[in-house]
Amino acid sequence: MGVAQRTKASPGSPQIKVSNGRLQIVFSCPVDQDGTIKRKRFYLSTGYDDTPANRHRCGETIRRIQRDLDYGEVDLTLKKYKTAYSLSVVGEYPEGAKELEAKVSVPLARIWAEYVSFKVAQGKSPTTIAKDYQKTERLIAKLPASDIEDAVKIRDWLVRNCTPNAAKRYMTQINAACEWAVVSGLVKDNPFRLLKQTIRIPRSQRKTDDSYIKAFTAEERDRILAAFNRHPHYKRYYPYVWFLFFSGCRPSEAIALTWGNISETHITFDSAWVEGVDGYELKKGLKTQDKRSFPMNETMRDFLHKHRPPAAKPSDLVFTSPRGGHIDSHNFANRAWKSILSALEGIPKFPPYHTRHTFITLCLDAGIHEKDVKRWCGNSAAIILAAYASAKRDLVVPQL
């Protein structure tokens, strides 16, 4: 069957239904069978578990089907609408549908959906899911081939349509998903395993650790803080920026911090305000650990005492947006931070996350042991040594 002919018959709008805990998109459409127009019911398996986020994911497919229903241009093969599973059944599910599903070739989109569901169940960061995983999901939907047997065709398409860095990144993620699928018994072999190594990044385009860990100097830090403190509109962010520079925490950790996390001697980081599938959300736990204790010195203790409102409750946020809620990190970076740094001559235009790099680098410059910095900031000692200690700005060859 090809594309349905235009007809005045009223089409059945697509709906989401649940079968065995998985989401299906169901709709009916008039079909020409030997000169007779009959209405057929179509089932499109998505492969997604029944969650609010996955129902939201199905919205784009439903809108696409509805548009084609309205114009009488429905693809009766359903290939145009596949999201995760390639198995689609015209009419009611026949007996043995599960066996039929097991015999068809497993499409890459299904492997990716199952892989992401597994990562979500393991507690993968909502930010990673929202930014990296959904970006890869959208790319898979654009690929010219859907089965993993077409790995070479997929590799060649990535090379032609993406930058070398992006092609390598997507290939690495797809390979990881297929490796998981082999271990999980979804497929017998991973054709991407060796192909991943064939994508080369030109030396001029390779990212280096040095570009990642660049930090402000102490003098640059102080100039940035002074500029925030005297700005008529962005002065309200001065405490937040000061805290980032002198605690070395991630911005998401500072935004989630409440007064209940602060004692007379320590700050406990145990949550993060991160970007999830449906917007920002509070995530319990940190990027690399459940929680972290940061010992306060006198300067930090005095600063927080002065910043704390007299009637502050333990559940109140330490740093707030102009409306009293969580700070929007993107809005802060694109407006306040960008505006302040653009007005300062001679200061590199690093993003706000480099406040963390600055704290770690200055600690190492001051002779603090890597293991102590690791305990304060939540990095591994290996990362501290490889990414920070090896790039200290004041390192010079001694007189031998």
Side-chain angles (χ1 to χ4, degrees):
M1 282 187 275
V3 175
Q5 297 297 317
R6 291 177 181 269
T7 175
K8 295 182 180 179
S10 176
S13 296
Q15 301 177 17
I16 292 179
K17 291 193 175 182
V18 180
S19 176
N20 296 322
R22 297 293 179 89
L23 297 178
Q24 293 179 338
I25 298 174
V26 183
F27 68 96
S28 62
C29 176
V31 176
D32 185 352
Q33 291 185 329
D34 299 325
T36 303
I37 299 295
K38 294 183 179 180
R39 183 173 292 279
K40 281 286 185 178
R41 195 167 177 82
F42 294 83
Y43 295 82
L44 179 65
S45 298
T46 68
Y48 295 146
D49 293 328
D50 184 14
T51 66
N54 286 338
R55 283 177 175 264
H56 179 73
R57 283 181 177 182
C58 294
E60 183 176 348
T61 303
I62 288 176
R63 288 189 290 273
R64 188 181 305 148
I65 294 172
Q66 185 62 63
R67 181 265 175 203
D68 288 353
L69 283 169
D70 293 341
Y71 285 87
E73 299 175 353
V74 177
D75 178 7
L76 300 182
T77 68
L78 302 185
K79 291 181 179 180
K80 181 179 180 181
Y81 315 118
K82 286 192 300 184
T83 54
Y85 282 47
S86 67
L87 177 62
S88 313
V89 181
V90 178
E92 300 299 327
Y93 269 111
E95 290 296 326
K98 288 294 181 181
E99 289 74 17
L100 176 62
E101 179 178 349
K103 293 179 182 178
V104 300
S105 177
V106 181
L108 180 58
R110 174 188 171 183
I111 292 174
W112 182 257
E114 298 252 3
Y115 173 69
V116 172
S117 295
F118 177 78
K119 288 293 187 180
V120 170
Q122 282 195 316
K124 193 67 176 179
S125 166
T127 301
T128 300
I129 295 168
K131 291 184 176 180
D132 297 337
Y133 287 1
Q134 285 199 338
K135 187 183 295 183
T136 302
E137 179 183 327
R138 290 193 293 270
L139 174 118
I140 290 174
K142 297 177 182 178
L143 292 175
S146 60
D147 294 331
I148 62 173
E149 287 81 359
D150 297 313
V152 173
K153 185 183 294 186
I154 292 171
R155 187 274 313 271
D156 293 345
W157 187 90
L158 288 173
V159 170
R160 289 194 305 269
N161 293 276
C162 302
T163 65
N165 275 300
K168 185 77 170 181
R169 183 174 64 253
Y170 285 128
M171 200 67 164
T172 299
Q173 293 175 334
I174 291 172
N175 175 69
C178 291
E179 284 292 301
W180 171 87
V182 171
V183 175
S184 301
L186 285 177
V187 296
K188 291 183 178 180
D189 191 29
N190 172 20
F192 293 95
R193 185 179 298 134
L194 297 178
L195 285 177
K196 181 188 70 166
Q197 303 172 15
T198 64
I199 298 181
R200 303 286 183 181
I201 300 176
R203 186 179 298 274
S204 61
Q205 297 183 33
R206 294 175 189 172
K207 295 181 179 180
T208 64
D209 287 339
D210 182 62
S211 65
Y212 174 72
I213 54 84
K214 286 181 179 177
F216 297 105
T217 65
E219 189 239 343
E220 290 167 346
R221 173 201 64 194
D222 294 343
R223 287 181 61 196
I224 293 171
L225 288 172
F228 267 101
N229 199 30
R230 63 174 177 262
H231 195 279
H233 181 63
Y234 296 129
K235 182 176 182 178
R236 64 168 295 104
Y237 290 113
Y238 170 79
Y240 168 65
V241 178
W242 189 98
F243 185 81
L244 292 179
F245 269 124
F246 285 95
S247 69
C249 72
R250 301 175 180 90
S252 60
E253 297 169 353
I255 293 172
L257 196 66
T258 65
W259 289 110
N261 293 115
I262 300 173
S263 70
E264 284 298 316
T265 59
H266 288 77
I267 300 169
T268 300
F269 296 103
D270 60 8
S271 301
W273 186 246
V274 297
E275 187 175 1
V277 175
D278 297 318
Y280 282 98
E281 59 185 57
L282 186 66
K283 171 183 171 288
K284 287 296 181 183
L286 309 178
K287 183 177 181 180
T288 58
Q289 56 197 148
D290 291 334
K291 62 181 180 179
R292 184 175 75 253
S293 181
F294 182 86
M296 289 191 288
N297 57 22
E298 286 298 323
T299 303
M300 177 66 75
R301 188 178 296 107
D302 291 344
F303 169 81
L304 289 175
H305 272 304
K306 293 176 182 177
H307 176 61
R308 179 168 186 160
K313 301 175 183 176
S315 60
D316 289 347
L317 295 171
V318 177
F319 308 105
T320 64
S321 68
R323 295 185 178 182
H326 290 92
I327 293 173
D328 185 321
S329 58
H330 287 303
N331 184 59
F332 168 79
N334 293 328
R335 295 186 180 183
W337 184 265
K338 195 172 184 178
S339 176
I340 292 293
L341 265 65
S342 63
L344 295 173
E345 294 183 3
I347 289 186
K349 307 306 185 264
F350 300 145
Y353 199 92
H354 286 243
T355 57
R356 176 174 169 84
H357 302 333
T358 301
F359 175 83
I360 294 175
T361 302
L362 292 177
C363 282
L364 295 175
D365 287 349
I368 298 173
H369 197 279
E370 296 85 13
K371 289 184 178 180
D372 294 322
V373 179
K374 170 249 181 183
R375 188 165 56 250
W376 295 347
C377 298
N379 289 97
S380 68
I383 291 295
I384 297 290
L385 284 169
Y388 292 96
S390 62
K392 289 171 65 176
R393 293 182 304 271
D394 60 350
L395 185 62
V396 296
V397 177
Q399 296 293 333
L400 301 176

